[in-house]
Structures are given as structure tokens and as C-alpha cells.
Amino acid sequence: MKRIILTGGGTAGHVTPNMALVPTLIDEGYDISYIGSYNGMEKKLIEDIGIPYYGISSGKLRRYFDIKNFSDPFRVIKGFFEAKTLLKKLKPDVVFSKGGFVTVPVVMAAKKLHIPVIIHESDMTPGLANKLSIPSASKVCCNFPETIKHLPEGKAVLTGSPIREELFQGDRREGLRLCEFTEDKPVLLIIGGSLGSVAINNAIRNNLDALLEKYQIIHLCGRNNLDQRLLEKKGYQQFEYVKKELKHYFACADVVVSRAGANAICELLALRKPNILIPLGLDASRGDQILNAKSFEKQGYSYVIQEKDVTGDTLLNAVNTVFDHRQDYIQAMNQSKLANPIETIVNLANKLAAGIH
């Protein structure tokens, strides 16, 4: 039996693409294990789908001053030796890394043991963890044509991001039923990420009555961000976080407002959902979401509002514009040249596992 180690952690975006690969890897006859941090969010997500999980020490690599910068390198070194021990025990044919700081010691240990590694870089330009890992990789998968110029020649493969198959199995009527919505009014879905977005949440709620004149709203507002005063508001359903129901909410959404994380926007592209992207600003990120959004806007997939420009009025105008021109956005997305990401990545794994580089 072929064996593969999946690794990635720190955010859902570093875990869900790994989870999307699991059914196809099983069909291909792989024995799968997962390496993450001791108690990262990835631990529960992976254990819930029945994949053996192994934790290692990990430290964050920061570009700014923090007292932990002095101790975290030792955690990374400890993680390297723990990963090396696990890889010797599990004997994988290939490692697939989705990114996040926990992956750096795993990828470096794999190189030391001559185990081929596939890295997936979601964003337009590689993050710090992947920058450190790329020299140890056999292949680097990416989502954007623009990314290839940032990667070593011969390693880059344009794949797109693996999307969970379940997202394609949503039922519009079930989504409407769950929210007690009607068939005769379009649905606006707001996704602000697992922690939510203050800017997006405020823009929606500050202009809620104007939005509700035309739309029914599903608002995924993030942990601890429910507004108790709006629980009984007709046509407005708010949730901190949803899991199984998400596929149905996507199915009934006519327009989606979202952050511009790479996995999120690849899901919107795969599902052909007209969307407004509000990327994280430079004050809260390295600017990767701004670049992601710019690429999608250039290709005609998305309408973009920078976070500093988000108000109730600018958001209302954007939603109306995208809804009125939704067929144009869908048509542009239908022209996407991205291959089947899961099939492409699993084929790469098969070749590397067989010793074909």
C-alpha cells in the first residue's frame, strides 16, 4: 500500500484542502497519516474524519519583534527531530504540505530522509513558511498564473486549490428551508472567516434594512459576533460558524460577500458564485489577500472593495451591481482554465511515490 503524510495547520485554510484530498487518496489506495501541531485547530478537524493524527512541536516565524522569537526557533528544531522520528516510523512514499508554520520541520525532515514533497501555495506570492520549505520540495502547486514567476523553474504546477466535494452537493431548497426563506427573493451570503470581520459585520448591519428590501441574508459573522438584537429580524439569519449546512447555503446564494483568502475564493470560483471580495488590509496581513483579489478582479470573477473603503453604502452598491450583472461574472468564471485540482495533485503524488520526478 502507498503511504502519504499530509501536513498543514494554524488556520482552516491550511487544513481543509488536505481534507478535500482524502477521499480520492483513499480511492487511489493510499494509507494516510497527518502531522500537525500538538493542539492546533487542525487536530480536531483531522481526527473527526478518522485520519491518524500526530502532533509535533512548532513555533511561529515572525517578521516583527516578539519575545517568543527567542524561544520559537528551539520549538522548530524540536519539531524537526520529532517529525524525522515520525517519518522514519511511518515510512511515507510522499509528503503533501499545505502550509503553515508546523509544516516547515516536516518538509525539512522529509528532505533529509529523501522523501519527495509536494507543497501547495494558495496565495499569489509564497508566505514565509512556504518560502522556507520550497527548496526542499519536489513540486510546488499554485492557484494563480502570476505565482509561477515567483517559484523555481521546473517545480511550479498550476493546479488550483482542492475543493471539498461536499460543497458541490448543496441543495438550494434545503438552504432556503433551513433559513425559513422564500423562493421569490434573492439570497446574499456573507462569509467573514472563522473569526469574522468587524468591518464587514458593521457594514452589513449598519445598512441591514436597505439590504433586506431586496435580499434575504445569511450572515456568517464569526465567533462571538452574533448580534442579539437581530435574532428575530425577518429575512436575516446570522451564525457564528456553520459546517454541514454550508453547502446548502452556497447553493441558495445568488451573491456572496467574502474575504479574499485563497481557498475561499477558489471555492467561489469552483461553485461559480458571483462575489464581492473585501481583502484583509495591509495593517492586518502581508497583503496576500489584496493580490488574490486583484487577480480575480482582473479575470472578471469578482468585484473588489478595499477594507478601508467599506461602508454600508459602498457595500450596498457593490451587491446591487454584482447581482444585476451576475451572468457576466458566471460567464467569466466558466472560462477558467484551472484543471481539476484534486486529480492533478493526486497524479503528482502517484508519480513521486513511484519515483518519477
Side-chain angles (χ1 to χ4, degrees):
M1 181 178 265
K2 295 176 289 189
R3 289 181 175 165
I4 189 167
I5 296 278
L6 304 178
T7 183
T11 68
H14 289 141
V15 186
T16 50
N18 276 329
M19 295 167 68
L21 291 171
V22 166
T24 303
L25 288 169
I26 290 171
D27 289 344
E28 288 283 318
Y30 279 93
D31 177 63
I32 307 168
S33 298
Y34 200 102
I35 298 178
S37 56
Y38 291 138
N39 294 301
M41 68 176 300
E42 62 270 20
K43 187 173 193 289
K44 183 171 186 337
L45 288 170
I46 296 303
E47 288 177 346
D48 282 352
I49 60 170
I51 300 298
Y53 183 92
Y54 301 89
I56 63 168
S57 173
S58 66
K60 189 172 181 181
L61 306 158
R62 301 171 186 83
R63 298 168 187 267
Y64 53 87
F65 178 79
D66 188 295
I67 195 70
K68 290 180 182 174
N69 287 349
F70 298 103
S71 59
D72 278 9
F74 296 102
R75 292 194 181 96
V76 175
I77 293 166
K78 183 185 177 191
F80 170 82
F81 287 106
E82 289 172 335
K84 193 174 175 186
T85 300
L86 281 170
L87 292 172
K88 282 181 175 177
K89 172 186 163 187
L90 296 169
K91 297 182 170 59
D93 298 290
V94 63
V95 170
F96 179 78
S97 167
K98 188 58 202 73
F101 298 116
V102 72
T103 66
V104 176
V106 180
V107 170
M108 290 181 170
K111 184 183 182 182
K112 193 78 174 170
L113 297 171
H114 307 292
I115 299 165
V117 175
I118 302 169
I119 286 175
H120 190 285
E121 174 52 60
S122 295
D123 291 314
M124 182 88 76
T125 58
L128 183 56
N130 270 351
K131 273 185 179 173
L132 292 169
S133 297
I134 283 169
S136 302
S138 303
K139 295 291 180 184
V140 184
C141 304
C142 58
N143 288 340
F144 302 96
E146 298 97 326
T147 307
I148 292 174
K149 65 178 183 235
H150 298 287
L151 300 173
E153 196 173 343
K155 286 190 179 185
V157 185
L158 184 64
T159 62
S161 198
I163 305 299
R164 295 163 286 168
E165 192 61 38
E166 68 192 66
L167 288 182
F168 297 96
Q169 297 161 3
D171 184 300
R172 176 178 171 81
R173 287 186 178 178
E174 180 62 9
L176 294 174
R177 186 194 68 79
L178 287 167
C179 293
E180 299 178 347
F181 286 174
T182 62
E183 287 270 7
D184 58 354
K185 206 172 181 182
V187 174
L188 176 63
L189 173 62
I190 319 293
I191 306 174
S194 56
L195 297 177
S197 160
V198 173
I200 296 174
N201 290 349
N202 288 345
I204 291 296
R205 288 167 176 159
N206 289 345
N207 224 358
L208 192 56
D209 289 335
L211 284 163
L212 287 172
E213 285 178 19
K214 188 170 179 179
Y215 307 97
Q216 301 170 107
I217 299 172
I218 303 170
H219 187 179
L220 308 186
C221 55
R223 201 174 303 127
N224 302 320
N225 288 323
L226 293 179
D227 189 326
Q228 301 298 324
R229 298 165 299 175
L230 300 171
L231 292 177
E232 303 300 321
K233 192 81 169 173
K234 186 174 171 54
Y236 176 72
Q237 291 286 355
Q238 53 180 331
F239 306 95
E240 290 190 359
Y241 182 75
V242 294
K243 254 178 122 173
K244 290 183 295 185
E245 304 89 353
L246 183 60
K247 60 185 178 185
H248 303 308
Y249 295 156
F250 266 129
C252 72
D254 297 285
V255 177
V256 179
V257 176
S258 174
R259 282 299 196 191
N263 293 311
I265 65 178
C266 284
E267 288 176 352
L268 296 174
L269 172 57
L271 296 168
R272 306 296 192 253
K273 289 293 170 182
N275 62 86
I276 294 123
L277 300 180
I278 303 173
L280 268 172
L282 287 171
D283 56 334
S285 74
R286 65 185 179 90
D288 47 305
Q289 289 200 11
I290 294 172
L291 294 174
N292 296 347
K294 192 177 290 185
S295 177
F296 265 45
E297 184 177 45
K298 182 181 174 184
Q299 295 174 82
Y301 305 158
S302 306
Y303 184 114
V304 176
I305 312 175
Q306 299 304 326
E307 184 167 80
K308 62 183 175 56
D309 299 324
V310 174
T311 65
D313 288 339
T314 59
L315 190 54
L316 176 62
N317 177 62
V319 170
N320 286 334
T321 299
V322 171
F323 180 74
D324 291 344
H325 296 91
R326 60 194 181 281
Q327 290 307 322
D328 295 335
Y329 288 98
I330 292 168
Q331 188 174 346
M333 289 187 273
N334 282 335
Q335 305 305 312
S336 169
K337 298 292 193 293
L338 287 181
N340 182 320
I342 292 175
E343 185 181 311
T344 307
I345 291 167
V346 172
N347 284 341
L348 279 176
N350 286 339
K351 286 180 180 177
L352 291 172
I356 303 168
H357 289 257

